[in-house]
Amino acid sequence: MGTNGTTCSGTMKATSNGVFQGDDPLHYALPLLILQICIVLLLTRVLAFLLRPLRQPRVIAEIVGGILLGPSALGKSSKFLNTVFPAKSLTVLDTLANLGLIFFLFLVGLELDPKSLKRTGKKALSIALAGITLPFILGIGTSFVLRGSVADGVSKAPFLVFMGVALSITAFPVLARILAEIKLLTTDIGKIALSAAAVNDVAAWILLALAVALSGDGNSPLTSLWVFLAGCGFVLFCIYAVQPGIKWIAKRCPEGEPVKEQYVCYTLGIVLAASFVTDLIGIHALFGAFVIGVIFPKEGNFANSLVEKVEDLVSGLFLPLYFVSSGLKTDVATIQGAQSWGLLVLVIFTACFGKIVGTVGVSLYCKVPLDQSLALGFLMNTKGLVELIVLNIGKDRGVLNDQVFAIMVLMAIFTTFMTTPLVLAVYKPGKSITKGNFKNQTVEETNQSNKPLRLMFCFHSIMNIPTIVNLIEASRGTNRKESLSVYAMHLMELSERSSAILMAHKVRKNGLPFWNKDKPGTSSSDMVVVAFEAFRRLSRVSVRPMTAISAISTIHEDICRSAERKSVGMVILPFHKHVRLDRTWETTRNDYRSINKKVMDESPCSVAILVDRGLGGTTRVASSDFSLAITALAFAVRMAEHPGITLTVVRFIPSEEFKPENVKLEITEDQAIVYEEIIVKCHEEVCEAIKEYSRSNLFLVGKSPDGSVASGLNVLRSDTPELGPVGNLLTSSESVSTVASVLVVQQYVARCDSHVVGVLKSATEEESPVKDTESP
């Protein structure tokens, strides 16, 4: 932003000799910049924490933080401004902020896939065009009002275009983040909003390039024409000359291998070179980085690795500096008098009216329900950082004066701030779902009905896939007329570093993560889908991959809501620990345990925790190789229908209590089920009995059994009470030495009055491990 016309004697040196040698560090560029960065990060993070209960994106906190540090608040104190943000330091701050912005625009370009724009449906395309056209026209109309009052003297044509662009923009990165936070990213409305925002983004950047070309200082109209034509030539050069080289680099970065440092360096160098060329042409350095991002190959390992390497530094450190740079230009005090505040209301109303009415009208025409249409209208009204970039370019080019700039910044804050509350007010996707509203909430109820069994397997990584596939194979009940439907939900954390490209691509096609049906790639998520697709073709099981992207603290809501919406009989969750090579347990992540406990507390159906010791290894287990030890017999009986599985039911009976009449097994002639009763006197005898079945592949036990044997096992101390007494015993290497996996089942609405084995509380009064006696 320059030096605000202030001149200073001499050049500001980079480093000081320290206070002990008489130097004031605040008079030197590097220590002053460090102080500025620390203040910016502290203020913006505190504001983000305070705004978190309102579910506001972090960009709001950063914009507000920048304004607070500027002349609108703290900057009113000349002592503060001259000490922390003196005029002679602003060139360094601006340069660093714009350097970070260049790389951020490269990431924004990465978010936009030109191929996906071709696949944009008519509905999303119509909504995008309506969300651009009406606000752009209203923006031009508003520019006449502003130019006749508070914007007198600015260039007419550039001002018209800048106002139209500013009111018609939808910030794709901010929108993707909002959709993820309010759990709409994987819904139909989320996909429509993302597709429409992508089209909107591309159109807005083209219009902005036109506005920048028109805003040049040249007196001849031909100057703007030459700038625009040179910009078009630069884009064609990037497509036909630069893109093949980038693709060559991307092909040399296969999945599963670290990206070489030299390739990252080459790419960042290309981004900077492109920025230099566009600045040389007279458009803006940001456009060069954006174009490189757009033409960058989106598939494969290289793009994802590049995002992970660059995003943290850019989003966490450099972007807040840009907001401060913008905030130092924003002086709310310039909005004075009834006329100025009236113009602010007019601009906000025009921006909201154009976006919301245009989007809602076309959405209703496309037969989108009213609540979803309103939600789409509010979502498309999201502004954010892209809006600030447009305004700052206009301010630097002299197209927007101080007062208009302040009005437009406040408009951007207001429209973005209102998005989340209004969307949540008009559209609640879970409002029609009530806990307990569907049948077959247990496996037993499904067995007794003619409907297919629906299971939901949740997983965090591809390491969980082999065991899931093998467990599905064992559960498909081949003798049944009804089928088995499986929903495989990939649990992905929405963290502060989650970029829009990673989120948007993961839900690009029906919730299938990073998968294009026409061109399957080699990423880990592609491998997940390919594994399930191959299994589906080899069996009668319908497997539908899904994706849940949420914060760890709320991802259990996605699981429970999806389980109820899909009417599943059981949700199967991965254990929060994994087995190391020495067969000891290592915690994968403690947060996963919290997810499991919350799902067990709130799930509308039965829940199971899968303690994986490598069921079947890394390959699909043949049907004849299964060995099961089972207590939750409703699920076990279904497994026993598989021709390759023999089921052994073991009931432990305390020596002083012999009540065989409490157990009832319904066994058909074609089921290989063996029932055994073992009289035990103490905990040690239970352990010894279980060791008899230690060569099993899988133990399936209940979480909360009754009886004296279970009570005796409960005396064992464990840090995993969610597994229950027998589950803890089977996962304790000290008590029972086994390599078998364990599936701990919590029955939904446990009842004590049923006499049929299969309801968890009445399965037995004691625990019943079971195994396939024919399998090693």
Side-chain angles (χ1 to χ4, degrees), residues 30-250:
L30 181 60
L32 181 58
L33 180 64
I34 293 173
L35 177 63
Q36 292 170 345
I37 293 175
C38 292
I39 292 176
V40 170
L41 293 181
L42 177 62
L43 179 60
T44 55
R45 293 295 173 167
V46 170
L47 289 174
F49 176 79
L50 295 177
L51 292 174
R52 187 177 300 170
L54 300 177
R55 308 183 76 170
Q56 292 297 320
R58 198 175 71 190
V59 64
I60 290 291
E62 292 170 336
I63 295 175
V64 173
I67 294 176
L68 291 179
L69 291 173
S72 301
L74 296 175
K76 287 184 178 294
S77 170
S78 58
K79 184 176 182 180
F80 171 81
L81 202 60
N82 292 331
T83 302
V84 181
F85 295 101
K88 58 185 178 181
S89 72
L90 297 183
T91 300
V92 177
L93 179 66
D94 256 0
T95 302
L96 190 61
N98 279 278
L99 181 63
L101 192 63
I102 285 174
F103 290 115
F104 178 77
L105 263 293
F106 168 66
L107 296 179
V108 172
L110 270 175
E111 295 166 2
L112 299 176
D113 186 359
K115 295 180 181 178
S116 67
L117 296 180
K118 297 179 182 179
R119 299 191 296 265
T120 301
K122 294 181 179 180
K123 185 184 298 183
L125 183 60
S126 302
I127 292 173
L129 294 178
I132 295 173
T133 306
L134 184 57
F136 190 85
I137 294 174
L138 293 179
I140 292 177
T142 305
S143 68
F144 285 103
V145 179
L146 293 175
R147 193 167 182 271
S149 52
V150 298
D152 190 25
V154 299
S155 301
K156 183 176 180 180
F159 184 64
L160 297 181
V161 180
F162 265 100
M163 287 297 299
V165 173
L167 266 64
S168 60
I169 273 182
T170 296
F172 182 88
V174 180
L175 175 62
R177 180 78 192 189
I178 290 176
L179 288 171
E181 289 184 345
I182 61 179
K183 301 183 184 303
L184 293 180
L185 188 65
T186 59
T187 63
D188 291 338
I189 184 175
K191 295 169 189 173
I192 293 175
L194 281 180
S195 298
V199 176
N200 188 299
D201 239 17
V202 172
W205 284 107
I206 294 174
L207 292 174
L208 181 58
L210 175 62
V212 171
L214 292 174
S215 64
D217 295 331
N219 296 323
S220 172
L222 290 177
T223 302
S224 298
L225 178 61
W226 282 115
V227 170
F228 186 75
L229 291 177
C232 294
F234 168 77
V235 173
L236 294 176
F237 176 79
C238 290
I239 294 175
Y240 294 105
V242 180
Q243 190 178 41
I246 298 178
K247 288 183 176 180
W248 179 84
I249 294 176

Side-chain angles (χ1 to χ4, degrees), residues 705-754:
D706 296 327
S708 56
V709 173
S711 300
L713 295 179
N714 272 323
V715 301
L716 296 175
R717 293 186 178 180
S718 173
D719 61 346
T720 54
E722 64 270 20
L723 297 183
V726 179
N728 283 320
L729 182 66
L730 291 171
T731 55
S732 173
S733 57
E734 294 81 7
S735 302
V736 178
S737 178
T738 178
V739 296
S741 299
V742 182
L743 188 65
V744 180
V745 179
Q746 173 183 275
Q747 187 85 359
Y748 176 74
V749 187
R751 299 184 295 272
C752 299
D753 56 346
S754 175

